[in-house]
Amino acid sequence: AFAQGALRVAGRASDGDAVILFDAARWEPWAYGATNAACAAEFRNYAAHVLEVAALVADAGVGSSLFTVVVNVVDRPALLRPVALRCVYALTAIFLEHFPNRLRAAYLVGAPPLFSAAWKVIKPWLDDDTLGRTHFVSHDDALERDAPGGTSSSCSIDGSSSCSKGTERSRSRVVPATTGGVLDEAIGRGSHEVLGVVADCLRRSSSSSASGGASS
């Protein structure tokens, strides 16, 4: 799990948030053990460590003790395997049980249509507050480092929608990648740093794919 580095603390945004990056292009959860249960247990321990590090990073900052989570979602059917979903469940369970009220926002970048099947499984595991802070962003939006500010419209991958104003712990949404929308609200006070992390992640993933490093 540590060798893959798919889940890691990427740094701290200007507002003090710890930025957690989950790069699915590098993730191979089936390699963690001989059985699905063993893989999930290994990933749970790994995820707990990463979240503890994120808490230390956030708490050491000034003005924030929150997390911003960026997930690079890729079109890899292998990640719909039961072992991957068990690992995701372990991650969400740890987060909700041991790090409540820590999430400022979670950004799922570049979710392909195939991800809707996984989202139907994952969504019931999340509480309403976490769902309200989960946003779908297209690759193009993530690579645009300068996002304009303003009021956002909300649209989830399963088609539900609403409109809201930003708050201190932003509940703003973005139009999902599956509809090719644009990012119409900056991601809090640390928006450019977070978008920079996403952009760098996508560029590295593209380079890995070109060289055969990202498996499907």
Side-chain angles (χ1 to χ4, degrees), residues 57-83:
V57 169
D59 291 343
V62 177
S64 174
S65 61
L66 302 177
F67 301 161
T68 292
V69 178
V70 177
V71 183
N72 180 31
V73 186
V74 293
D75 193 0
R76 295 179 62 195
L79 294 180
L80 293 178
R81 295 181 188 177
V83 63

Side-chain angles (χ1 to χ4, degrees), residues 4 6 22 24 26-33 35-36 38-40 42-43 76 78-88:
Q4 289 182 16
F22 192 177
R26 304 175 62 173
W27 195 39
E28 296 186 355
W30 46 85
Y32 296 157
T35 65
N36 287 358
C39 291
E42 171 69 14
F43 185 73
R76 295 179 62 195
L79 294 180
L80 293 178
R81 295 181 188 177
V83 63
L85 294 174
R86 288 184 70 163
C87 287
V88 172

